[in-house]
Amino acid sequence: MHTIELGRVSVTRIPHFGNGPLSPTDFFPGTDQDLWRANRAWLVPDHWDEDANRVRVEVQTWLLRSAGRVIVVDTGLAPGIVEPDGVPLTASLAAAGVASTDVDLVVCTHLHADHVGGNTSPDGEGGWVPAFPNARYLFSRPDLDFFDPRTLTEEPGRSAAVHERSIAPVLRSGQAQIWDDSHTIDENLRLTLAPGHTPGHNVLTLESEGDRAVFAGDLLHSPVQILTPEVSSCFCHDPAKAARTRASILTWAADHRALVIPAHFGGTGAVEIERNGSRFAVRRA
């Protein structure tokens, strides 16, 4: 685990696991394989397994301490989904000195399985209850509507089983706080809708004492998308909208020298970017 201080906010990265699921051209339809080769010096090994030609991604959670509250951003996959002996998020947080009862807020950038799996814990009777009994869970209204089992269609990422395990128990508990458009958490943190990957995908912006960062969720799966923001992942519900949103967020980050912290980057988990004419460049990854 690694912790940095951004103004008055402490940010700790809690990794779950990393893998290389797809080739660049499968993960990012329309990507240019030559672009990956041209940037191999900084893509390998954290972001690209060149020998296997697989994009490397991490599943991770971000633990924030801000304005006297403990905040968890995305809770990863449920234990056992990928790794049979996966460690529950509550155990990883305990290793960082945070008990499940200490958590005040859970931010879900969107409701795909790899971002909500740690929302709940077994209740001992075959069901599920919120893993953080004292927390409010922040869900965007558009994603709740999109992932409602009554509206599900055959589309990757939409699962009635995930909803029943990771979303419905929170709704039944009364711990959900549903928001739309934007939501101010405190003087340092603000949520804003950033649709495309899912209809209610959102980003968390941090501004404190001159430091800035944007927790970008799945707007980016690889730093290559900073060079080619028009290229969306194969997991995006609306690739064109995701591309427009990505360009907007990257513009803000470049203009405000904000650290970009996506959900799935390897390496340090974050990048600094800058303008390169009408495009963007990675200043440090």
Side-chain angles (χ1 to χ4, degrees), residues 83-255:
E83 295 182 323
D85 299 319
V87 176
L89 176 58
T90 50
S92 297
L93 289 171
V98 174
S100 60
T101 53
D102 294 335
V103 176
D104 299 295
L105 288 173
V106 176
V107 173
C108 298
T109 60
H110 60 294
L111 303 185
H112 279 156
D114 55 331
H115 295 259
V116 299
N119 280 2
T120 60
S121 298
D123 64 3
E125 299 178 357
W128 304 91
V129 294
F132 308 103
N134 298 324
R136 303 293 291 175
Y137 288 69
L138 296 174
F139 296 147
S140 76
R141 169 59 67 188
D143 253 23
L144 276 183
D145 292 344
F146 182 65
F147 287 93
D148 189 318
R150 294 169 296 184
T151 68
L152 289 185
T153 58
E154 291 296 326
E155 180 179 333
R158 301 175 77 184
S159 166
V162 170
H163 189 280
E164 180 56 29
R165 174 173 178 156
S166 301
I167 306 302
V170 178
L171 297 175
R172 289 194 294 265
S173 74
Q175 291 176 234
Q177 184 170 347
I178 302 167
W179 61 278
D180 205 344
D181 189 36
S182 65
H183 174 76
T184 298
I185 293 175
D186 58 35
E187 63 266 31
N188 306 311
L189 302 170
R190 180 178 177 84
L191 285 168
T192 308
L193 288 180
H197 184 66
T198 66
H201 183 280
N202 54 91
V203 298
L204 176 66
T205 302
L206 183 160
E207 296 187 76
S208 180
E209 295 185 335
D211 288 335
R212 296 180 178 88
V214 56
F215 293 83
D218 280 10
L219 279 184
L220 297 152
H221 286 85
S222 167
V224 169
Q225 291 177 283
I226 295 167
L227 310 180
T228 56
E230 67 276 10
V231 175
S232 294
S233 81
C234 62
F235 302 106
C236 289
H237 169 69
D238 187 332
K241 182 175 287 187
R244 293 192 296 271
T245 301
R246 184 163 44 254
S248 176
I249 296 299
L250 292 176
T251 296
W252 182 88
D255 289 348

Side-chain angles (χ1 to χ4, degrees), residues 266-280:
T268 64
V271 293
E272 297 178 2
I273 69 171
E274 60 189 3
R275 286 188 179 273
N276 181 18
S278 61
R279 308 289 287 182
F280 305 100

